[in-house]
Every structure is written in structure tokens, then in C-alpha cells.
Amino acid sequence: MLSPLDLIFGLFSLDIGIDLGTANTLVYVRGKGIVINEPSFVAVEKRSGRPQEVGARAKEMWSKNPKDIMIVRPLRDGVISDFEITQAMLDHLIRKAHEHLWVQIPRPRVVIGIPSGVTEVEKRAVYDAALNAGARQVFLIEEPVAAAIGAGLPVTETRGSMVVDIGGGTTEIAIFSLGGIVISRSIRVAGDEMDEDIVQYMRTKHNLLIGEPTAERVKIDVGSAHPLPQERTATVKGRNLITGLPTAVEISSIEMRDALSGSIDILMDTVKQALDDTPPELVADLMESGICLAGGGSQLKGLADRVQDEVNIRAYIAEDPMTCVARGSGRVLEDYNNLRRLLVGIERGSTWH
Ligand code: ADP
Ligand code: MG
């Protein structure tokens, strides 16, 4: 039953989609688009354990290395453990989303993308934190489902489709058919692991010590998963492990394929296994529709070609791959009747049935 209050809220409803990613947190406001895009960092005061700053400002503090502040990346491994920190992040995000509005609409409806495979306790923590942060209604959706909706895949239709969302901490694969998920896989191999591969490679092959931020830049610049039409080179600066002196090393995209092979092989195996478990009729559908890649990691050079080569199905990168989850989460409320069955249930006190 709709109460008069609901009708009034309905008129001035604020619907937001939140992507709590391991690397980046995004907020999509219906009718406005992406209004927040910040790194998933929280600065916590060591003594009190209280969150002080969230997002880009927390990341800035991180580089300055303050001694009474601890920097937490609460979602790094795709799980949210600390309730207070999750709460602080959601408070910050919902308040900031309001700053983008002309009219102050008090209590938004919120759809939050969470990694698939989170525990009941974690789901509950996110759900409660969002309610405490002032949401009127809270819905949870698994990230690959949100990514697929954001990428425009026909998830409510009979015909099959497939998404591979490669983030910082996790890669999530989902195959859809008959309006639901048929196969899903989640592994903790994604962008961060690639950065670690590069750190290791530089250390063992070039005696060069580099940090993760440098490794990430190298990955974005010359990282590759497949021979490129034009191979690239970059200069990597670090500390020589033997002499202890600052040193610069030239490195190519060809070498980077070797460096990244550990992570990329695992990724390819997981894609293949998911397809192996897929009923043949559905594989035939996927040969038509292709495999959609989303998330920041999907932009690794040559990755789509590599997938295509390995599984013999066309692979392509979604439009604006880093915002798919946030946009997809936001869209759920626009097409609620069709998409509600793809939402995640909460055991007690659920707002959907
Ligand atoms: P999450 O959903 O986990 O927050 P994102 O989808 O925001 O993750 O993707 C972040 C990851 O994408 C990081 O590991 C980052 O290094 C990687 N990334 C971003 N751009 C590129 C690029 N052009 N090439 C390769 N990796 C990239
Ligand atoms: Mg993500």
C-alpha cells in the first residue's frame, strides 16, 4: 500500500546508485548522471578509530603519510568488514550526492552494488549502514549484474549474454539467460594483482624496486595481454636493489606480457571454465552477442583480443567501462518491476519481497 507520504516522496524522489568498488567509489544520480567518482579510501584517526576523511581527500593524506592517521581501503579485497567505516563512506556519499541538487530531497532510495560472494553479515552491514546514512529504501545488487545492466546487456531477456567485470580487487563473471544469472564466478585476481606482478617482475628481472603506484602507471601505459599493432616502451624509475641507487629502466609492452602472464592466465582460465559450465544452447547465444568486458581492468591493452583468441567468441569493451556498475545500479529503480528479481535479498527487515 502506498501512503500519502510515499506519493509525495514519489514526486520528488531521489534515486541514487552507488558502486562500492575496491578501487573507486562512484555515485550515479537519476537524471544527473555520475556525480561522484573517488578512490575507495578512508582516513581513520588512530587513537579514536574514527573516520576523518573519505575518498580523494583521504588518498591525498595517504601520500603525505601522517603519523596519527591510518589509511584504510575498506573494499580492497572485495569485502566490507568495518561497519563504522562503511557507514562513514555512505554518509559522505549520500551527503555529497545532495550537493548536486537544486532542491534538497530528504531521503533517497539507494541501490548499492556489492561484490558477489559477500557474506550475509557483510550484506547486512552495508544495508544497515545505508539506512543509518539516511536512505529511505535500500536495495543491494551484485556488481556483475549492475555492470551488465549499465553496459546495456539484455539481462531480462531469454537470450544469453555475458559480462566480465575486472576491477581492482576482484574480477566477476556472470552469464545471463531467461532473465536471471545462470553462471557466476568471482576471483581475487584483477588490477591490483597485475600491479603486484609488475613489482615482482621488475625486482627479479631488473633488480629494480618500485612501489605499487608506479607499477599501476606502467600497467596503464605499456601493460598488454596480447601482441599490439604497435608495441610500446616506457621508462620505469626505481631503486636498484644491488647498488641502492636511483635507476631508470626501459621496458616494453612485449616484456609486460611476460610480467602479467600469471594474472592474465588465471583470468583466461576462469573465463574458459565459466564457458565450459555453460549449456551449449547458451554458448550459441554468446557467439552471437559476444562477451562484454567492463571495469577499469578491461582497458588493459589487448585484453579483448586475448579473450577473443582464447575462447573464439567476440569480446568487446563496454562503453565507459568504469561507470557501468554505478549507472546499472541507478537504472534498477527506473525499471524496477523488470529488474527487481535480479536484486539481492536481505534476510530480515528487507524492503523488497
Ligand atoms: P573497482 O570496481 O574494484 O573499484 P575499477 O573498475 O574502478 O575497480 O578499476 C580499477 C582498476 O582498473 C585498477 O586496478 C586500475 O589500475 C585499472 N585500470 C584503470 N585504467 C586502466 C587501463 N587503462 N589499463 C589497465 N588497467 C586500468
Ligand atoms: Mg567494480
Side-chain angles (χ1 to χ4, degrees):
M1 250 322 260
L2 284 178
S3 71
L5 208 59
D6 279 334
L7 283 174
I8 293 166
F9 271 136
L11 280 178
F12 300 101
S13 175
L14 171 61
D15 291 341
I16 65 185
I18 299 181
D19 170 10
L20 287 177
T22 61
N24 297 296
T25 300
L26 287 82
V27 177
Y28 169 94
V29 172
R30 188 168 167 183
K32 284 243 154 208
I34 302 286
V35 297
I36 299 172
N37 187 347
E38 296 200 48
S40 304
F41 278 68
V42 181
V44 178
E45 192 186 40
K46 275 187 190 153
R47 200 165 32 85
S48 64
R50 279 216 197 88
Q52 302 285 310
E53 295 281 5
V54 174
R57 292 176 67 154
K59 191 175 182 183
E60 254 168 49
M61 293 174 89
W62 180 51
S63 54
K64 298 199 182 97
N65 217 351
K67 70 173 185 334
D68 23 344
I69 300 283
M70 181 172 68
I71 304 297
V72 185
R73 302 178 65 181
L75 305 138
R76 188 151 189 180
D77 297 313
V79 275
I80 304 142
S81 41
D82 190 309
F83 183 79
E84 219 184 323
I85 291 174
T86 310
Q87 168 97 53
M89 281 185 76
L90 289 168
D91 270 339
H92 167 84
L93 296 170
I94 292 175
R95 209 169 12 160
K96 264 193 102 172
H98 272 110
E99 286 170 13
H100 294 268
L101 301 173
W102 287 100
V103 192
Q104 287 304 298
I105 299 159
R107 304 182 64 206
R109 296 198 295 174
V110 181
V111 183
I112 304 175
I114 52 165
S116 46
V118 303
T119 63
E120 272 308 316
V121 175
E122 286 162 343
K123 276 186 226 164
R124 188 80 216 170
V126 175
Y127 180 85
D128 287 343
L131 279 184
N132 285 351
R136 174 162 50 101
Q137 268 185 312
V138 180
F139 305 92
L140 303 182
I141 186 167
E142 290 189 351
E143 277 165 1
V145 179
I149 296 169
L153 299 189
V155 291
T156 55
E157 290 172 28
T158 311
R159 67 194 156 109
S161 53
M162 173 169 180
V163 72
V164 181
D165 176 6
I166 307 159
T170 57
T171 294
E172 311 221 17
I173 299 176
I175 299 175
F176 303 86
S177 173
L178 302 169
I181 291 193
V182 180
I183 305 274
S184 78
R185 292 279 182 281
S186 174
I187 52 167
R188 296 201 168 173
V189 174
D192 292 343
E193 190 87 4
M194 295 179 203
D195 300 346
E196 280 161 33
D197 281 352
I198 295 175
V199 171
Q200 281 302 327
Y201 182 88
M202 295 312 290
R203 180 197 287 268
T204 50
K205 288 278 162 52
H206 294 283
N207 287 319
L208 194 73
L209 188 66
I210 60 169
E212 273 175 50
T214 303
E216 184 182 27
R217 275 197 299 276
V218 173
K219 172 185 72 180
I220 292 173
D221 208 10
V222 291
S224 148
H226 193 265
L228 305 176
Q230 191 126 46
E231 299 293 353
R232 307 160 67 103
T233 57
T235 307
V236 187
K237 293 186 188 129
R239 190 158 57 83
N240 186 294
L241 281 164
I242 296 160
T243 63
L245 297 172
T247 310
V249 172
E250 185 95 344
I251 158 141
S252 72
S253 45
I254 301 170
E255 238 183 307
M256 276 294 106
R257 283 202 283 284
D258 189 17
L260 295 172
S261 63
S263 302
I264 302 296
D265 287 351
I266 294 174
L267 235 139
M268 293 305 140
D269 282 348
T270 314
V271 171
K272 279 188 212 155
Q273 279 167 20
L275 287 167
D276 276 349
D277 294 344
T278 305
E281 294 302 303
L282 189 45
V283 174
D285 275 6
L286 299 180
M287 290 178 77
E288 289 283 312
S289 61
I291 299 173
C292 176
L293 309 181
S298 69
Q299 301 171 106
L300 182 73
K301 290 178 190 59
L303 191 68
D305 288 340
R306 175 73 179 269
V307 173
Q308 190 157 321
D309 259 24
E310 296 239 359
V311 302
N312 205 24
I313 295 176
R314 181 177 65 93
Y316 64 97
I317 302 174
E319 211 181 305
D320 206 358
M322 293 183 83
T323 64
C324 286
V325 171
R327 285 185 288 115
S329 303
R331 269 217 38 215
V332 167
L333 296 173
E334 287 167 32
D335 194 10
Y336 181 69
N337 283 340
N338 273 322
L339 296 173
R340 58 185 292 179
R341 63 180 153 153
L342 288 165
L343 293 168
V344 174
I346 285 287
E347 268 177 2
R348 184 171 42 85
S350 164
T351 53
W352 70 284
H353 309 281

